[in-house]
Structures are given as C-alpha cells and as structure tokens.
Amino acid sequence: MGSSEEARVRLPQLKLDELLEELQARIDAARGTRDRVRSLLEAVLSVGRELDLEQALYSIVEAAAVLVDARYAALGVIGPDGRRLSAFHTVGVSDEEIARIGPFPEGHGILGELIRHPEPLRLTKLSDHPSSFGFPPHHPPMNTFVGVPIQVRDQIFGNLYLTEKQGGAEFDEEDESVLSTLAVAAGVAIDNARLYEESRLRERWLRANAEITHSLMSGSDRADALGLIAERAREITSSALAVVAMPVEDADSLVVELAIGQGARDHHDLVLPVEGSLMGRAFSTGALVDTPDVTCDERVAVASPRFTGLGPAVAVPIGAGDSVRGVVLLVREAGRPVFAHKETEPLQAFAAQAAIAMELVERRRDSEHIAMLQDRDRIARDLHDLAIQRLFATGMTLQSAGRFIEHPQAADRVARAVDDLDETIKIIRSTIFGLRSREGAAGSGLRARVVRVAGEAAAVLGFAPGVRMEGLVDTDIPGRIADQVVAVLSEALTNIARHARADRAGVVLETDGREVRLTVSDNGVGIPPEGRRSGLRNLAERAQQLGGELELGSPASGGTVLVWRVPVTDEPSGR
C-alpha cells in the first residue's frame, strides 16, 4: 500500500511542476511581449520627436535594429524614378567597411524586389531567393533577412532592410509585425520632417527675397543685386556653381555677367546663343530647364571644360513671360541628386520675385529721373523768364547811359560791361538748352557726347579744354550730322595734342536751327606752311560732303582757330 500511495502523490506533483513551468513560460512571454511593446512605443516616440529628416531616418534604422535584435539594418530611400535607391542609411557597418565595399546599392537584387513589390518579405537565407545577386567583395556575410516598406501618405518612401538576427535565430512573424508597426510610425515621422524641412526652406527663400528687395530699395546697382540673387540661390539649393546671364541688345545672345563658385572664372564674360543653349532655352521660353548631367547635355558645349566635376543643373529665368530679364544657372557637383520639384518650385518663385523687385526699382528711378527733368525745366523757365530778362534790361540801361558818359575810359568800361552781359546771356541760354534736353540728360545726345569727347581728350592734352554750346544742339542737329561733329571734334583735339604744343584750348558748338558751327581753338605754335595737312583735308572733306566748309585761321595772339560749319539738313546741299 505504501508504494502505491507514494506514486499517486508523486504524479500530481509532476503535473503541478509542468503547469508551473508552462505558467512561468507564459508569464515570461507576456513580460517579453510587454517589454517589446514598451520598446516599440519608445521607438515610435523617439522617431516622432525628430524634425530633421536625416536624423529621423537614422533614428528609424537604429530603432528597427534594436526592436528585432538584428545585427545589420538599413533604410533605402527610393529615388524620383521609382526604380532605384537615391539614398542609403545603415547601422552595424562601420565607415571603414563601407569604404572597402564601395558605392551604396542602387536597388538591384533583393533590395529591388521590395521596390518592385512593396510588401513585407522574410527569408531564411538570402542567397536562396531567385532575385539574389550575391554580395560585392569585402561585404559582411548575411543570411536571415526581413524587409518592410515605409509609406508616406500615398507614396512608398523607401524600405527597411534587416539581416542577421542575433544568436543565429530566424526572423519570425512577430518581428515582421513589429517592423510593420514601426514603418507606419516612420512614415508619419518622415512626413512631419519633410513638412518641417519645406517650411524652413520657404522661410530661407522669403528671407533671401526680403534681403534682395531691401538691397535694391537701398540704392544698390544691378550688378550687386544679381550677385546677391546668385549667391543666395546657390546657398539654398546647395549648388557648387551659380551663373547669371543677361541678354544683349539684339536679344539673340546672352552674356554672362557674373559667376560664383566652382570654376566661376571660366564663365566670366562668356557669350551664349539664345538658340540651342541650355540657358538660352530658359530665356526664350520663360520656363525652367533642367538636366541630370550638364557635361552630357547637347545644349552645352561637350568639349567645354567649364563644367568638369559637375553634374545636375537647372536654368531658371529671372522674370516670366515677355519680361524675362536674364537667367540663373545652378549646377551641383557630379553624383549629387538632381533638382527635385520641391526645390525648383520655390526657386522659380524666388527668381520671379527678384525680377519684380528689379522692375519696381527701375520704375522708381525712372520716376526720379522724370522729376529731375521737370525740375530742370522749371529752372530753365526761371532762368529764361527772370535772369535773362533782367540781364537784358540791365544791358539796355547801360547802353543808354553810355551815350551820356563823356569820359572815354568810363565809356569804354561801360561798353565792355555790356559785352560781358551779352556773353553771360549766351552762356545762360546754353545752360537752358542743356537743362531742357532730355536726350542729353540721358547721356546719349550730342551735347553729352561733345562733353565726353572733350573730357577724354584731357588725358592726351594734359589739360581740360573749355567747352561752350549754344542753341538746341540735341534737338536741331540730325543724328547723321551729329556723328560727323563728334568725329571732327575728336580729330581736331587729337591734332592739338600731337602738334600744337598748347596749354589751352577751347570748343564752341553753336546752331541756330539752319547751320551748325564747331569752333576749336588753341594757343599753340600754329600750323606751319610746310606741315602735313592730311588730317585737315579729312575734316574739309567731311564738311564738303555735307555741303559745308572748313576755315582755318591764326589770330595775332598766336595759336590756331578751326571753324567747321555745315547746314543743318538731312541731305547735303550745294553739290
């Protein structure tokens, strides 16, 4: 009896031990599940806190490796074409190992399988899968594998790849479920980081626009504004080179006004045809033009070394429609990503806003110029209606009083004073004509050209010649005759510099609406009888072709007086 009773006692105890062991296993499993859920929640919170996109991607990879106890983990970002990986973030592989392995994968083999079929994939041995291509030299061995896609809104952003579960175990369904949950949280975190990055990018563009507008409104010239546009665009888009080209007068070609960055010196003052060039295309269409590789684009000279070491490029018009003012070309280093839509869209808005700021400043300067011309007209009216009339009246009074002066010297002084008043009236009238001449004020009229030629001659003469003009020089003298006047004046002053040995010269340009008369005088040695006269013959022939004449004189005080006169008509007369 005793032995049978002991057996019955021992049997329930064995069952109890088994039940306790099973209970302990379930408790451990529950505790493990609890700890894993807690780790998952912590990972989700950690990933969600990141606003910097690069840091967020690294946090996702790191959390994934910890959650499934994987030795190696990677996150591949799918490129714009949807077929290749544009970025690769890894955990578990050192920088030295990466350097030995070589470039990051582009998405072939197993990695490409998840790109083509974005759904979870678990493998016991990587090499057994039909899509496996093997590993490059120096790559660490990898067997067990699990991969899950990361979706951001309605688009597959990339994939998580994990290999080599610690302890030689295989990845199970729970690992796959945990990674899929993390992938959902990762999609939200990536979306938030993207939105934050885009908001910061817009903020940088807005600051750049404000800086350029303030610079222009503060009186900066166009060159400074273009330099600021190029520099800010290059900085914000992380480009290696920025080039700004503006159209020439005929609008058939563009000239590079400035270049900043890598190889900038090779681009300075370069002339590009509008037809057939990359920047010309952006200028003629008023739309953005890009290329994945500037060194292989047919719209860029293939043999040109200007873009050595560079790759993706985008040409953006400054302005839009018919008001395109120029083109900004931005080029990144070779191997860098192409310009994405999220970058080019604010870039176009930035260039258009910069063009508007330039337009507003030009309109403001035009208004200021018009106000200045109106003020000149007012001054001219005041001089004509007040100053000249008073001087003329004073001269008449002195002339009348001169008849009653018996002392010869006193009468002579009064006569000289009257002559001085007449000369003063002529000078004021010449000033009035200059003030009222808009073309001269703009620097392109005959009056301004004569002043410019006289100023340039000062360098070879050794002194500045005196200049006086009377009459409506810019209004009454046609352009063809004005060109001859400028040529004659330049040659006459050059002759004085070469032969006259003078220390004083004077230029008088007069017109009464019927004839233009240019007088150039000096106090030099005069023209010797045996001297060369080929230059004077040229001046005489110019006058004869226009129906005029050339007169030469030598006053008693010394020097030479040259008088070149022609009728003010569009066609030569007296032929």
Side-chain angles (χ1 to χ4, degrees), residues 372-382 435-438:
M372 180 193 69
L373 293 177
Q374 291 174 341
D375 196 44
R376 288 187 174 190
D377 281 344
R378 180 188 58 78
I379 295 171
R381 286 195 303 271
D382 291 346
L435 289 170
R436 284 180 171 171
S437 173
R438 281 158 176 76

mmCIF file of all heavy atoms in Angstrom, residues 372-382 435-438:
data_model
loop_
_atom_site.group_PDB
_atom_site.id
_atom_site.type_symbol
_atom_site.label_atom_id
_atom_site.label_comp_id
_atom_site.label_asym_id
_atom_site.label_seq_id
_atom_site.Cartn_x
_atom_site.Cartn_y
_atom_site.Cartn_z
ATOM 1 N N MET A 372 13.457 114.887 -61.916
ATOM 2 C CA MET A 372 14.646 115.713 -62.096
ATOM 3 C C MET A 372 14.546 116.539 -63.380
ATOM 4 O O MET A 372 14.873 117.738 -63.395
ATOM 5 C CB MET A 372 15.885 114.826 -62.147
ATOM 6 C CG MET A 372 17.191 115.583 -62.335
ATOM 7 S SD MET A 372 18.550 114.488 -62.764
ATOM 8 C CE MET A 372 18.084 113.986 -64.409
ATOM 9 N N LEU A 373 14.049 115.911 -64.450
ATOM 10 C CA LEU A 373 13.901 116.641 -65.705
ATOM 11 C C LEU A 373 12.866 117.756 -65.575
ATOM 12 O O LEU A 373 13.049 118.860 -66.119
ATOM 13 C CB LEU A 373 13.494 115.677 -66.820
ATOM 14 C CG LEU A 373 14.544 114.632 -67.228
ATOM 15 C CD1 LEU A 373 13.978 113.698 -68.280
ATOM 16 C CD2 LEU A 373 15.811 115.311 -67.741
ATOM 17 N N GLN A 374 11.780 117.475 -64.866
ATOM 18 C CA GLN A 374 10.771 118.508 -64.648
ATOM 19 C C GLN A 374 11.350 119.664 -63.846
ATOM 20 O O GLN A 374 11.049 120.829 -64.106
ATOM 21 C CB GLN A 374 9.555 117.913 -63.931
ATOM 22 C CG GLN A 374 8.753 116.956 -64.797
ATOM 23 C CD GLN A 374 7.648 116.265 -64.021
ATOM 24 O OE1 GLN A 374 7.682 116.229 -62.785
ATOM 25 N NE2 GLN A 374 6.682 115.702 -64.725
ATOM 26 N N ASP A 375 12.199 119.309 -62.876
ATOM 27 C CA ASP A 375 12.834 120.358 -62.079
ATOM 28 C C ASP A 375 13.787 121.174 -62.941
ATOM 29 O O ASP A 375 13.896 122.397 -62.794
ATOM 30 C CB ASP A 375 13.584 119.721 -60.909
ATOM 31 C CG ASP A 375 13.932 120.737 -59.827
ATOM 32 O OD1 ASP A 375 13.064 121.559 -59.488
ATOM 33 O OD2 ASP A 375 15.077 120.696 -59.336
ATOM 34 N N ARG A 376 14.461 120.499 -63.876
ATOM 35 C CA ARG A 376 15.342 121.230 -64.786
ATOM 36 C C ARG A 376 14.538 122.170 -65.688
ATOM 37 O O ARG A 376 14.970 123.294 -65.959
ATOM 38 C CB ARG A 376 16.135 120.236 -65.643
ATOM 39 C CG ARG A 376 17.211 119.501 -64.880
ATOM 40 C CD ARG A 376 18.050 118.664 -65.817
ATOM 41 N NE ARG A 376 19.171 118.054 -65.141
ATOM 42 C CZ ARG A 376 20.178 117.430 -65.751
ATOM 43 N NH1 ARG A 376 20.166 117.362 -67.069
ATOM 44 N NH2 ARG A 376 21.161 116.902 -65.066
ATOM 45 N N ASP A 377 13.389 121.693 -66.138
ATOM 46 C CA ASP A 377 12.529 122.562 -66.949
ATOM 47 C C ASP A 377 12.117 123.803 -66.166
ATOM 48 O O ASP A 377 12.082 124.909 -66.709
ATOM 49 C CB ASP A 377 11.288 121.798 -67.409
ATOM 50 C CG ASP A 377 11.577 120.897 -68.596
ATOM 51 O OD1 ASP A 377 12.631 121.108 -69.234
ATOM 52 O OD2 ASP A 377 10.774 119.996 -68.876
ATOM 53 N N ARG A 378 11.778 123.596 -64.890
ATOM 54 C CA ARG A 378 11.383 124.743 -64.061
ATOM 55 C C ARG A 378 12.543 125.724 -63.918
ATOM 56 O O ARG A 378 12.359 126.937 -64.046
ATOM 57 C CB ARG A 378 10.939 124.251 -62.682
ATOM 58 C CG ARG A 378 10.512 125.362 -61.745
ATOM 59 C CD ARG A 378 10.282 124.828 -60.351
ATOM 60 N NE ARG A 378 11.452 124.191 -59.799
ATOM 61 C CZ ARG A 378 12.495 124.875 -59.297
ATOM 62 N NH1 ARG A 378 12.494 126.201 -59.313
ATOM 63 N NH2 ARG A 378 13.535 124.227 -58.815
ATOM 64 N N ILE A 379 13.742 125.172 -63.660
ATOM 65 C CA ILE A 379 14.913 126.046 -63.530
ATOM 66 C C ILE A 379 15.167 126.787 -64.834
ATOM 67 O O ILE A 379 15.480 127.993 -64.844
ATOM 68 C CB ILE A 379 16.142 125.221 -63.115
ATOM 69 C CG1 ILE A 379 15.938 124.641 -61.721
ATOM 70 C CG2 ILE A 379 17.410 126.069 -63.153
ATOM 71 C CD1 ILE A 379 17.002 123.632 -61.329
ATOM 72 N N ALA A 380 15.022 126.066 -65.954
ATOM 73 C CA ALA A 380 15.235 126.706 -67.255
ATOM 74 C C ALA A 380 14.235 127.831 -67.487
ATOM 75 O O ALA A 380 14.591 128.909 -67.984
ATOM 76 C CB ALA A 380 15.123 125.667 -68.370
ATOM 77 N N ARG A 381 12.962 127.595 -67.132
ATOM 78 C CA ARG A 381 11.949 128.657 -67.290
ATOM 79 C C ARG A 381 12.283 129.859 -66.423
ATOM 80 O O ARG A 381 12.176 131.013 -66.860
ATOM 81 C CB ARG A 381 10.569 128.113 -66.922
ATOM 82 C CG ARG A 381 9.959 127.183 -67.955
ATOM 83 C CD ARG A 381 8.481 126.982 -67.689
ATOM 84 N NE ARG A 381 8.224 126.475 -66.354
ATOM 85 C CZ ARG A 381 8.183 125.182 -66.051
ATOM 86 N NH1 ARG A 381 8.391 124.274 -67.008
ATOM 87 N NH2 ARG A 381 7.947 124.788 -64.822
ATOM 88 N N ASP A 382 12.702 129.577 -65.186
ATOM 89 C CA ASP A 382 13.043 130.691 -64.291
ATOM 90 C C ASP A 382 14.235 131.482 -64.821
ATOM 91 O O ASP A 382 14.246 132.715 -64.764
ATOM 92 C CB ASP A 382 13.351 130.148 -62.888
ATOM 93 C CG ASP A 382 12.105 129.609 -62.199
ATOM 94 O OD1 ASP A 382 10.997 129.911 -62.690
ATOM 95 O OD2 ASP A 382 12.249 128.896 -61.191
ATOM 96 N N LEU A 435 19.586 122.079 -69.973
ATOM 97 C CA LEU A 435 18.622 121.620 -68.978
ATOM 98 C C LEU A 435 17.372 121.053 -69.624
ATOM 99 O O LEU A 435 16.765 120.109 -69.122
ATOM 100 C CB LEU A 435 18.234 122.782 -68.045
ATOM 101 C CG LEU A 435 19.304 123.246 -67.055
ATOM 102 C CD1 LEU A 435 18.864 124.531 -66.379
ATOM 103 C CD2 LEU A 435 19.572 122.171 -66.027
ATOM 104 N N ARG A 436 16.985 121.622 -70.737
ATOM 105 C CA ARG A 436 15.754 121.195 -71.384
ATOM 106 C C ARG A 436 15.952 119.998 -72.300
ATOM 107 O O ARG A 436 14.990 119.458 -72.843
ATOM 108 C CB ARG A 436 15.162 122.356 -72.191
ATOM 109 C CG ARG A 436 14.488 123.395 -71.300
ATOM 110 C CD ARG A 436 13.918 124.525 -72.092
ATOM 111 N NE ARG A 436 13.094 125.401 -71.257
ATOM 112 C CZ ARG A 436 12.603 126.570 -71.656
ATOM 113 N NH1 ARG A 436 12.860 127.016 -72.871
ATOM 114 N NH2 ARG A 436 11.867 127.287 -70.835
ATOM 115 N N SER A 437 17.174 119.569 -72.498
ATOM 116 C CA SER A 437 17.441 118.457 -73.410
ATOM 117 C C SER A 437 17.368 117.138 -72.657
ATOM 118 O O SER A 437 18.230 116.805 -71.865
ATOM 119 C CB SER A 437 18.830 118.611 -74.039
ATOM 120 O OG SER A 437 19.142 117.475 -74.767
ATOM 121 N N ARG A 438 16.310 116.377 -72.878
ATOM 122 C CA ARG A 438 16.172 115.082 -72.213
ATOM 123 C C ARG A 438 17.174 114.067 -72.749
ATOM 124 O O ARG A 438 17.716 113.248 -72.031
ATOM 125 C CB ARG A 438 14.758 114.545 -72.377
ATOM 126 C CG ARG A 438 13.803 115.200 -71.411
ATOM 127 C CD ARG A 438 12.395 115.106 -71.875
ATOM 128 N NE ARG A 438 11.475 115.641 -70.906
ATOM 129 C CZ ARG A 438 11.281 116.932 -70.686
ATOM 130 N NH1 ARG A 438 11.988 117.813 -71.348
ATOM 131 N NH2 ARG A 438 10.409 117.346 -69.783
#
